[in-house]
Amino acid sequence: MRVTIDRLGHLGDGLATVPEGTVFVPGVLPGEVVEGDLNADKLTNVRIVTPSADRIKAPCPHARTCGGCQLQHVADSFVEAWKASIVSSALAAHGLPAPIKGVATSPPHSRRRAVFSARRTKSGVLIGFHARSSVTLVAIPECRLLHPDLMDVVTGLQELAMIGGSRSAELSMTVTRSEAGADVAVTGGKPLDSELRMALARIVEKHQFARLTWEGEVVALRDSPIQRFGRAVVTPPSGAFLQATLEGETALLDAVREALGPQQRVADLFAGSGTFTFPIAEFAEVHSVEGDAAMIQALDKATRNTQGLRRITSETRDLFRRPLQPDELARFSGVVLDPPRAGAEAQTRCLVLSTVPVVAMVSCNPITFARDAGILVSAGYALDWIRVVDQFRWSTHVELVARFSRPS
């Protein structure tokens, strides 16, 4: 079958319209004419007949087999425009404008956190990422996405898998770059016993990992795996949320600062371990609210050990079930919202009943962002501007910061 690609879907596949309906075609671009074999609603064995001017040679040699990236065949300028259009389309579905002012894209080799999969084989250990929509593991020795420090720990991860994995199960290894070395959390491994504990500790020391967590238990701590948020030195709990790249975190923070402006009393909701709390506390009092008690404990400890900040208070609270109420919000002149993909509908509905003049909303899901934005705008807030942040380079993931304000 020969088709012309109309547009890209939200997962990065090309969409083409044929008499039978919509056909999904991986690895193509709008305007391209392609041929392939039709299987159900997908085109396989795809051949590009007429390439797009936006098509480039994938920079990574693993691009065709690894499922970690979906857009390596696309020019950066196209990806930026496409990601901005995803935000615009989501807002248009709610009748909202999309005042987007720029896209900030993280550079190659910048991802500081990754989840590797590993499996023991007859010849050793295979470690890498899954092929797209497959259980097949693909080794990625020349990955162009991950920070070099993460690539440097692969040998150590292989040793962990060799002694702690089995031929019948796959290990999941979350690795986070820290100033003290790799922070590694493993699930799917053998049950811990004294012999395995000692062997794992030797690997941690040999490869200078900062911390190793095995099935939720810290089994070796060579040094605190610290992160810096503004002036604060924070040790997040194992597996805690961290922005994917330092460059992406900086872009988000710059936009949040700009959105808040001169506000002096700020509520940081879904605060994590203090990504925004500590930089904001350099110019404003901050009340940080987070549902994970371990992250609040890390934030509190860093607060006690950091000088030169305005007052920081904190609270462990499930904002989905118990959002801050209008009377609690009354003392704040600015609110930062950084919810997970589900968004912050319950908290947003309380915000519109408050007198908070400025809201900086950080989102990793344009669909739930548009829903929450619609709630704010319908209650009188203005959507002043949006900045798109692409820290998941070569993926279909989109993040953003938006400023909302109430007319005085």
Side-chain angles (χ1 to χ4, degrees):
M1 174 176 282
R2 176 178 288 198
V3 298
T4 300
I5 305 303
D6 299 322
R7 59 187 177 88
L8 294 190
H10 69 283
L11 295 179
D13 284 337
L15 306 182
T17 303
V18 298
E20 295 83 358
T22 300
V23 175
F24 296 84
V25 189
V28 296
L29 290 169
E32 290 188 326
V33 178
V34 303
E35 291 180 341
D37 302 322
L38 184 63
N39 293 301
D41 60 350
K42 295 181 180 178
L43 210 62
T44 60
N45 301 320
V46 176
R47 184 175 72 87
I48 310 296
V49 177
T50 306
S52 166
D54 292 308
R55 176 173 289 277
I56 63 170
K57 181 180 179 180
C60 179
H62 312 301
R64 292 182 64 86
T65 54
C66 174
C69 298
Q70 299 86 43
L71 299 171
Q72 288 215 2
H73 60 290
V74 189
D76 284 352
S77 57
F78 178 93
V79 175
E80 290 185 358
W82 179 67
K83 292 197 172 186
S85 74
I86 291 175
V87 177
S88 299
S89 296
L91 288 167
H94 292 263
L96 299 174
I100 296 173
K101 58 173 192 176
V103 180
T105 303
S106 293
H109 299 292
S110 62
R111 280 286 295 275
R112 58 179 174 178
R113 180 175 178 150
V115 182
F116 294 94
S117 294
R119 185 186 300 123
R120 285 183 57 184
T121 67
K122 291 181 180 180
S123 58
V125 172
L126 179 60
I127 183 168
F129 297 146
H130 286 107
R132 187 174 186 186
S133 303
S134 172
V135 297
T136 302
L137 272 183
V138 178
I140 51 163
E142 298 180 59
C143 179
R144 299 296 195 268
L145 181 67
L146 302 184
H147 192 284
D149 288 354
L150 263 62
M151 297 302 297
D152 288 345
V153 306
V154 169
T155 300
L157 299 180
Q158 290 174 323
E159 293 184 22
L160 290 178
M162 180 60 73
I163 67 167
S166 68
R167 294 277 298 277
S168 60
E170 187 173 286
L171 281 75
S172 178
M173 299 176 155
T174 301
V175 184
T176 304
R177 180 176 181 253
S178 82
E179 291 193 10
D183 187 10
V184 182
V186 178
T187 59
K190 295 177 181 178
L192 286 167
D193 57 26
S194 58
E195 183 178 353
L196 181 57
R197 288 175 187 274
M198 292 179 64
L200 293 174
R202 286 193 291 268
I203 293 174
V204 168
E205 189 62 32
K206 175 183 176 181
H207 293 281
Q208 300 290 285
F209 293 169
R211 176 171 61 186
L212 173 63
T213 305
W214 198 267
E215 301 293 349
E217 179 182 344
V218 177
V219 296
L221 180 64
R222 187 185 61 84
D223 202 350
S224 295
I226 63 172
Q227 303 292 337
R228 293 186 184 271
F229 302 143
R231 299 177 186 176
V233 176
V234 184
T235 303
S238 177
F241 175 79
L242 182 72
Q243 297 294 343
T245 71
L246 179 60
E247 293 84 356
E249 179 182 295
T250 300
L252 293 170
L253 177 58
D254 288 346
V256 166
R257 283 197 188 104
E258 181 181 347
L260 290 175
Q263 308 309 321
Q264 294 296 298
R265 296 181 306 280
V266 175
D268 184 8
L269 308 184
F270 304 95
S273 296
T275 302
F276 299 124
T277 291
F278 292 108
I280 292 171
E282 294 178 13
F283 62 86
E285 293 183 3
V286 185
H287 180 60
S288 301
V289 185
E290 166 60 46
D292 188 310
M295 285 198 271
I296 284 293
Q297 289 171 5
L299 185 152
D300 287 344
K301 182 178 179 181
T303 298
R304 293 191 296 271
N305 295 329
T306 306
Q307 303 298 314
L309 299 179
R310 303 285 293 275
R311 183 169 178 257
I312 297 174
T313 55
S314 66
E315 180 181 359
T316 302
R317 182 165 172 171
D318 184 343
L319 291 169
F320 294 109
R321 292 182 173 86
R322 248 185 359 112
L324 265 65
Q325 297 300 306
D327 60 331
E328 297 175 287
L329 292 164
R331 63 190 178 100
F332 303 112
S333 58
V335 165
V336 177
L337 279 174
D338 184 17
R341 291 188 61 79
E345 182 175 7
Q347 185 60 75
T348 303
R349 293 194 180 281
C350 289
L351 262 172
V352 299
L353 301 175
S354 76
T355 57
V356 175
V358 175
V359 176
M361 186 180 295
V362 184
S363 175
C364 59
N365 184 344
I367 302 300
T368 56
F369 163 73
R371 177 201 66 201
D372 296 343
I375 295 170
L376 290 172
V377 171
S378 65
Y381 279 92
L383 173 50
D384 298 320
W385 50 258
I386 299 168
R387 183 165 297 137
V388 176
V389 177
D390 183 9
Q391 61 176 327
F392 289 86
R393 188 184 181 93
W394 297 317
S395 83
T396 57
H397 192 74
V398 183
E399 295 187 284
L400 61 90
V401 177
R403 184 183 194 270
F404 297 87
S405 63
R406 280 190 186 277
S408 56

